[in-house]
Amino acid sequence: MRGIDVFSRPLEYLTPLGEQVGEIIREWVEKEVIPYRRGFDEDYLEHRLIHPPFKKLLGEYGIQRILFPEDLGGWGLGHSEYLCVAAFRMFEEIARADSGMAVAFGVVFWPLVLICCEPHVNRRLCEEFAPMFMTNEPVFSCLAMTEPQGGSDIENVEVLKGSTIRTVAVRDGDEWVINGHKLWPTNTGGVADLMGVVCTTNPGSRNPEDIAIIFVPADAPGVTQGPAYEKAGMAADKNGDIWFENVRVPLWYRACGPGDDAKYYGEIVSMGNMGSIAFAVGVMLNIYEKLQEYVNRKTYRGMPLKENDAVAGVLADFATTIEAVRIIGYQCARMCDRQDLYGPRWSPEVVARARAHRYFAADRALEAIGKVMNLMECFGPDRDWDVEKHWRDIKMVQLWLGGKQLSQMEVARWFFECETL
Ligand SMILES: Cc1cc2nc3c(=O)[nH]c(=O)nc-3n(C[C@H](O)[C@H](O)[C@H](O)COP(=O)(O)OP(=O)(O)OC[C@H]3O[C@@H](n4cnc5c(N)ncnc54)[C@H](O)[C@@H]3O)c2cc1C
């Protein structure tokens, strides 16, 4: 049977490092994740099964260090023009086993992008937080944006300019004092060690200089994480509430500074969308493997199911979706890497393109996986086949980062120069 490597990738811009780490991750998922993943749903609170493979990948293999500069013990990927393409490969390999795990993995690096990547490396914060990541124990970061009144408005920086953010950072001498309540950040529910917190320094203000992204160690007095939510899937990604009550951190824990935090927020959005496509691709690759087994093993009138015209049509559509979505995803990653060609990844143009790529990819993946579920009849929802797990998990990719509607608004706004959206 053909394996997952039959699907197209842009060979001309793959990176040796990404490929090497991709192979290591493939071996790790085969041994440490796939045999255990069926138990992950019930493990959403404790992470007894989920923690050990994370410990190996992030801590023992040292992959949590990759973004930090080499002289601080990192791998220097923050400086690489292949960062996103390499990340795409890693994300899809992990998502093939478990997309919740891929999300949790990706978010370890998400807030760190703000301090480790060119052209806005914050050397002092890199020096401050690098030692935390240079350990054999897994370290989890989170990026806390969403609030009880709504997440999309906070991400809609171009139009709302932070005016709806209610988590407030007030300057007191040489410290920030933070108060607020966040919902849903990946890698919370008790696991977060380091938080990037989207705050306002002046509630209601539409001045981008008042948007502040501030790093908060999770053990700072006044930080409380609630338990992990029980959700449809992605149990390896713990999401929960965080409360900040008079939390004090040094002023220099602000990621990039007035104006720049708002500007580089766009980069977070572009990269989050790029990663989301990799999660969808990884999931589809594993479903392809399962589907191969199913249509070869099951028969219809004495022939393998795949030899039936109508079935072959569904198989062709599924393979075509993987082909197309994977290429879109790699192109999105390449666009985020080659800022010299495509413009800065925080620009409204790149943000709009990445949102377009993501929502198209997520919609196509869900549609295609739904058809596979139909084809597999009662084996689709059978947990033994893992397809229903991926189907539940991947719905999430459509919902986050402001969901589809905010993506549509931003895409229309850029391509059609809408003025009121
Ligand atoms: C698995 C998972 C992981 C997550 N990880 C994180 C994380 O790491 N950090 C974090 O901060 N959050 C995270 N979230 C939260 C997620 O990003 C938010 O749920 C999302 O941004 C939407 O916010 P909301 O649920 O508050 O919906 P709202 O923003 O309240 O939106 C409600 C509805 O209005 C629509 N809408 C929004 N804006 C517009 C518009 N301009 N025009 C028309 N319709 C609009 C939305 O699409 C939605 O249908 C995660 C969520 C999930 C499920």
Side-chain angles (χ1 to χ4, degrees):
M1 270 192 271
R2 295 195 200 284
I4 53 172
D5 292 322
V6 294
F7 292 101
S8 295
R9 293 195 306 145
L11 301 178
E12 65 277 21
Y13 57 72
L14 297 180
T15 107
L17 177 69
E19 292 312 287
Q20 216 178 338
V21 179
E23 287 308 316
I24 293 171
I25 291 181
R26 188 171 291 188
E27 221 184 290
W28 166 80
V29 301
E30 294 289 353
K31 278 202 202 126
E32 313 283 341
V33 185
I34 291 180
Y36 308 103
R37 66 183 174 186
R38 210 159 298 149
F40 283 7
D41 283 323
E42 289 71 33
D43 193 33
Y44 79 97
L45 266 181
E46 303 291 333
H47 275 197
R48 286 205 182 103
L49 292 174
I50 294 165
H51 187 79
F54 268 138
K55 178 173 159 63
K56 187 158 268 184
L57 182 71
L58 291 168
E60 291 168 21
Y61 293 177
I63 296 188
Q64 66 198 14
R65 307 165 181 219
I66 56 179
L67 275 189
F68 286 99
E70 280 155 305
D71 66 321
L72 298 178
W75 299 12
L77 214 62
H79 298 267
S80 166
E81 65 169 32
Y82 293 102
L83 166 65
C84 296
V85 168
F88 194 92
R89 169 79 202 264
M90 295 183 221
F91 295 161
E92 63 173 19
E93 290 290 346
I94 303 176
R96 174 178 157 246
D98 187 278
S99 54
M101 217 159 207
V103 178
F105 172 84
V107 173
V108 168
F109 309 102
W110 212 18
L112 298 179
V113 162
L114 291 164
I115 58 169
C116 293
C117 286
E118 297 290 359
H120 45 75
V121 173
N122 183 329
R123 177 75 194 180
R124 195 175 176 194
L125 285 181
C126 285
E127 285 172 6
E128 180 77 355
F129 297 127
M132 217 174 146
F133 288 79
M134 305 302 145
T135 151
N136 283 352
E137 288 302 315
V139 177
F140 291 96
S141 329
C142 74
L143 187 69
M145 305 175 283
T146 307
E147 296 183 356
Q149 75 281 3
S152 312
D153 283 351
I154 293 176
E155 290 177 27
N156 194 348
V157 177
E158 208 189 340
V159 168
L160 292 167
K161 301 186 188 336
S163 57
T164 68
I165 301 171
R166 293 190 193 157
T167 299
V168 181
V170 175
R171 188 178 173 161
D172 182 23
D174 56 3
E175 289 181 324
W176 292 112
V177 182
I178 301 173
N179 281 284
H181 180 192
K182 297 287 185 182
L183 306 181
W184 278 103
T186 284
N187 292 340
T188 51
V191 295
D193 298 296
L194 181 65
M195 303 171 167
V197 187
V198 176
C199 305
T200 176
T201 57
N202 184 10
S205 162
R206 298 180 66 86
N207 180 351
E209 297 203 351
D210 292 323
I211 297 176
I213 306 181
I214 299 174
F215 281 86
V216 176
D219 59 1
V223 177
T224 310
Q225 296 181 58
Y229 306 144
E230 186 174 14
K231 54 189 193 298
M234 288 197 177
D237 166 19
K238 279 197 189 188
N239 307 88
D241 293 58
I242 318 173
W243 292 270
F244 300 91
E245 284 176 89
N246 294 320
V247 175
R248 288 180 172 269
V249 294
L251 281 185
W252 56 275
Y253 273 30
R254 185 172 184 168
C256 307
D260 283 345
D261 285 345
K263 179 162 106 182
Y264 299 127
Y265 197 155
E267 182 171 20
I268 293 291
V269 174
S270 299
M271 292 172 93
N273 280 292
M274 175 279 292
S276 301
I277 307 173
F279 307 149
V281 173
V283 158
M284 288 195 291
L285 291 175
N286 192 226
I287 294 179
Y288 168 75
E289 294 170 284
K290 298 286 173 185
L291 191 56
Q292 284 257 35
E293 192 186 333
Y294 178 79
V295 294
N296 278 295
R297 193 202 289 182
K298 295 283 282 182
T299 55
Y300 174 77
R301 295 188 182 176
M303 301 251 280
L305 202 57
K306 67 181 182 182
E307 304 300 339
N308 175 280
D309 284 356
V311 171
V314 177
L315 302 182
D317 284 356
F318 191 57
T320 302
T321 304
I322 303 175
E323 273 288 298
V325 168
R326 197 181 207 192
I327 285 296
I328 290 170
Y330 269 103
Q331 172 56 23
C332 185
R334 185 64 169 163
M335 173 181 75
C336 290
D337 277 338
R338 288 299 302 268
Q339 303 181 72
D340 54 327
L341 296 177
Y342 298 97
R345 49 190 175 219
W346 51 87
S347 68
E349 174 181 342
V350 169
V351 171
R353 289 188 200 281
R355 281 202 184 274
H357 297 171
R358 189 280 299 239
Y359 95 69
F360 180 84
D363 285 359
R364 294 295 81 72
L366 265 145
E367 220 170 72
I369 296 168
K371 287 183 185 160
V372 170
M373 290 283 283
N374 294 347
L375 181 64
M376 291 183 71
E377 291 290 348
C378 53
F379 294 91
D382 181 346
R383 284 185 74 173
D384 272 355
W385 284 78
D386 293 321
V387 173
E388 63 81 39
K389 163 203 161 45
H390 287 311
W391 176 67
R392 284 183 286 117
D393 287 348
I394 210 63
K395 179 68 188 168
M396 241 72 79
V397 174
Q398 250 182 346
L399 306 180
W400 58 39
L401 279 163
K404 180 162 175 178
Q405 283 78 10
L406 180 61
S407 299
Q408 288 175 318
M409 296 309 127
E410 297 209 340
V411 172
R413 190 190 301 153
W414 193 80
F415 283 94
F416 289 87
E417 299 172 275
C418 304
E419 288 184 359
T420 60
L421 291 178

